[in-house]
Amino acid sequence: MKKIFAKRIKDIKASEIRELLKITENHDIISFAGGLPAPELFPVEEIATITSKLILEEGKKALQYSTTEGYIPLRKKIAYRMNKIFNTKVNEDEILITSGSQQALDIIGKVFLDEGDVVFCERPSYLGALNAFRGYGAKFSEIPTDNDGMIPEELEKTLASTFKRKLIYVIPDFQNPTGRTWSLERRKALLDIANKYQVMIVEDNPYGELRFDGEILPALKSLDTSNSVMYLGTFSKTFCPGMRIGWISVGEEVLEKCILVKQGADLHTSTINQMQLNMYLENYDLDTHIQRLKKVYKCRRDALIAAMSNELPLSIKFNIPDGGLFTWLEMPDDMDSRVLLDICLKKGVAFVPGHSFYANTSIYNTFRINYSNMPEDRIVEGVKRIATGISELKHH
Ligand SMILES: Cc1ncc(COP(=O)(O)O)c(C=O)c1O
């Protein structure tokens, strides 16, 4: 039968990262491509213990339908953690549990975006968010960035000249894909500009708790005095992504709409997963677990940076992230990271070419490297292979 698809599906392409991840499932490949946490650090035994306790003690509740808003004890704990770590002042009524923050992005798209509305995002930005918003017919305006975040003058200029402006989407902490963190000044400037032009901000913060160096900076949400920030959090990177537990923190007016949309999508996030996580938080110390993750990821970052400094030519620029899972490399303009990837795959090493992370522009000389998913010796070997790939690319 001839399939007549909805218009909205036309612009959504298969994520190149997902396609690439299929290739890199082959264990012989050293993969810097995914954004995967280290599975050896998942608290498997603790989860086994609480799961059996939960099923035996509260099985009937854990296996039943539950409310769309989410399990209240978990929402309370999330609000408490946000306030403690990121200096916000939220309570459980301002938290909606979502199935990962990816669902939160989709919900926000459905609540706010009409065909042709413009989302202002960092250049480059998180592909999963761009695709979620694209599904609702969004157009993007990419704002240039530097090491301190979006450049405020550029944002203001673009906002002033855009008619259907709707949302500003940012990842201020250890951004995906660049690993960069916004300075405090830029955070304040963003809020001022967003208020001036009356545009809501989506603050997506999956990596903020994974800081190895320096002090945690206040979340945009904590600096927000006019209810203009929708904060997205997740346990994917601090606990485990397979649980699919994230949240939106936002004022009542928007939250009500988000609840309606989530109801239509999946009724509620898995009751048992929410209760497992809640029981973990009651019986174990998530902060100690996160300290362990940070220690391992910091060593991996250090190994990566040392190897890149030793092996890569000086013409390849990269940043040293203070936390999170990624760094970003920039080659001279005439070098194409897609061609480099082809060469590197033959050498058994993979990364994500940067062009996927640009909403509109075609830039081909950048790429993203993830360092959380491999031990140091593989990281060093992988960088050596990329270095040989680069020298072959130069003579291509
Ligand atoms: C910036 C950003 N937002 C959202 C997500 C989605 O995370 P999850 O749905 O697992 O919470 C990711 C995952 O990598 C991400 O990097």
Side-chain angles (χ1 to χ4, degrees):
M1 189 193 278
K2 187 168 183 289
K3 310 289 183 304
I4 305 171
F5 293 112
K7 267 191 274 170
R8 77 177 68 87
I9 202 76
K10 185 170 70 57
D11 292 336
I12 306 177
K13 298 183 209 78
S15 152
E16 283 182 45
I17 303 180
R18 292 255 162 266
E19 296 303 309
L20 188 58
L21 287 181
K22 285 187 201 153
I23 303 176
T24 58
E25 272 172 10
N26 167 357
H27 289 296
D28 296 336
I29 291 194
I30 298 180
S31 178
F32 295 113
L36 305 183
E40 68 275 21
L41 299 173
F42 293 153
V44 174
E45 279 175 23
E46 292 89 330
I47 294 175
T49 309
I50 50 167
T51 303
S52 116
K53 186 167 143 72
L54 178 66
I55 292 295
L56 293 173
E57 290 174 8
E58 292 185 271
K60 287 181 186 146
K61 190 169 175 186
L63 297 169
Q64 186 56 284
Y65 283 119
S66 54
T67 62
T68 306
E69 288 85 335
Y71 187 49
I72 291 178
L74 180 61
R75 290 162 68 203
K76 280 192 178 151
K77 290 184 184 65
I78 289 172
Y80 174 81
R81 283 189 71 77
M82 273 183 70
N83 297 344
K84 181 180 79 167
I85 298 165
F86 294 110
N87 215 19
T88 53
K89 291 186 181 59
V90 300
N91 65 49
E92 68 270 22
D93 298 331
E94 296 160 290
I95 306 281
L96 166 66
I97 306 281
T98 56
S99 302
S101 48
Q102 189 63 41
Q103 186 185 44
L105 291 164
D106 188 63
I107 290 174
I108 286 171
K110 199 164 187 180
V111 168
F112 280 95
L113 298 173
D114 286 317
E115 186 82 31
D117 281 350
V118 178
V119 177
F120 300 82
C121 61
E122 293 156 282
R123 181 170 75 210
S125 184
Y126 169 55
L127 177 68
L130 302 180
N131 273 342
F133 297 153
R134 234 176 232 131
Y136 298 100
K139 299 281 174 250
F140 296 97
S141 185
E142 296 181 278
I143 309 300
T145 55
D146 62 18
N147 263 337
D148 290 327
M150 252 184 200
I151 299 174
E153 297 74 21
E154 297 282 346
L155 174 65
E156 176 145 24
K157 202 169 65 188
T158 318
L159 277 169
S161 60
T162 305
F163 171 55
K164 289 180 86 176
R165 48 190 188 226
K166 208 39 150 335
L167 296 174
I168 302 172
Y169 169 70
V170 292
I171 310 154
D173 294 271
F174 319 123
Q175 200 234 19
N176 182 2
T178 62
R180 293 175 190 147
T181 294
W182 288 42
S183 66
L184 183 57
E185 292 66 32
R186 291 280 176 89
R187 291 172 196 240
K188 290 181 178 162
L190 171 66
L191 285 161
D192 288 345
I193 296 170
N195 273 335
K196 181 168 164 193
Y197 291 88
Q198 292 290 295
V199 183
M200 293 285 288
I201 297 172
V202 180
E203 176 179 29
D204 189 6
N205 190 14
Y207 306 104
E209 290 187 59
L210 296 175
R211 178 178 274 281
F212 327 134
D213 299 326
E215 296 291 309
I216 286 193
L217 287 164
L220 292 172
K221 178 91 186 146
S222 74
L223 305 168
D224 175 24
T225 49
S226 53
N227 250 329
S228 57
V229 176
M230 297 181 265
Y231 179 97
L232 312 189
T234 176
F235 287 94
S236 286
K237 304 296 167 19
T238 51
F239 190 55
C240 31
M243 283 262 173
R244 309 306 302 132
I245 296 192
W247 70 93
I248 304 177
S249 171
V250 70
E252 196 184 334
E253 189 189 354
V254 177
L255 203 78
E256 272 176 17
K257 307 270 186 253
C258 293
I259 292 168
L260 291 178
V261 163
K262 182 172 163 67
Q263 231 159 32
D266 65 353
L267 298 183
H268 61 80
T269 293
S270 154
T271 318
I272 185 164
N273 290 4
Q274 293 184 66
M275 291 182 76
Q276 278 171 315
L277 175 56
N278 183 65
M279 197 174 251
Y280 176 90
L281 295 172
E282 272 170 11
N283 288 274
Y284 301 95
D285 183 3
L286 182 63
D287 291 329
T288 309
H289 176 66
I290 294 175
Q291 288 301 338
R292 245 190 328 265
L293 300 182
K294 291 200 292 187
K295 211 166 136 197
V296 173
Y297 292 166
K298 181 177 163 58
C299 289
R300 293 181 181 180
R301 180 215 48 191
D302 290 345
L304 175 73
I305 299 299
M308 292 198 302
S309 308
N310 291 335
E311 304 291 339
L312 301 185
L314 286 175
S315 59
I316 313 287
K317 306 275 179 266
F318 56 84
N319 70 308
I320 305 179
D322 287 332
L325 311 186
F326 304 108
T327 188
W328 183 246
L329 290 84
E330 201 173 324
M331 304 190 287
D333 288 346
D334 59 346
M335 289 172 79
D336 188 330
S337 59
R338 295 169 302 173
V339 183
L340 179 64
L341 178 65
D342 284 341
I343 298 173
C344 283
L345 282 175
K346 291 186 191 112
K347 298 183 181 307
V349 62
F351 51 79
V352 184
H355 67 279
S356 303
F357 301 102
Y358 298 100
N360 305 326
T361 32
S362 306
I363 295 175
Y364 295 109
N365 63 326
T366 54
F367 58 103
R368 186 191 79 177
I369 277 192
N370 161 271
Y371 50 80
S372 55
N373 193 236
M374 261 185 300
E376 284 93 308
D377 56 338
R378 298 268 288 171
I379 290 176
V380 174
E381 175 57 28
V383 172
K384 284 186 179 159
R385 292 185 198 178
I386 292 177
T388 355
I390 289 174
S391 63
E392 282 175 30
L393 177 66
K394 279 185 178 164
H395 304 112
H396 211 64

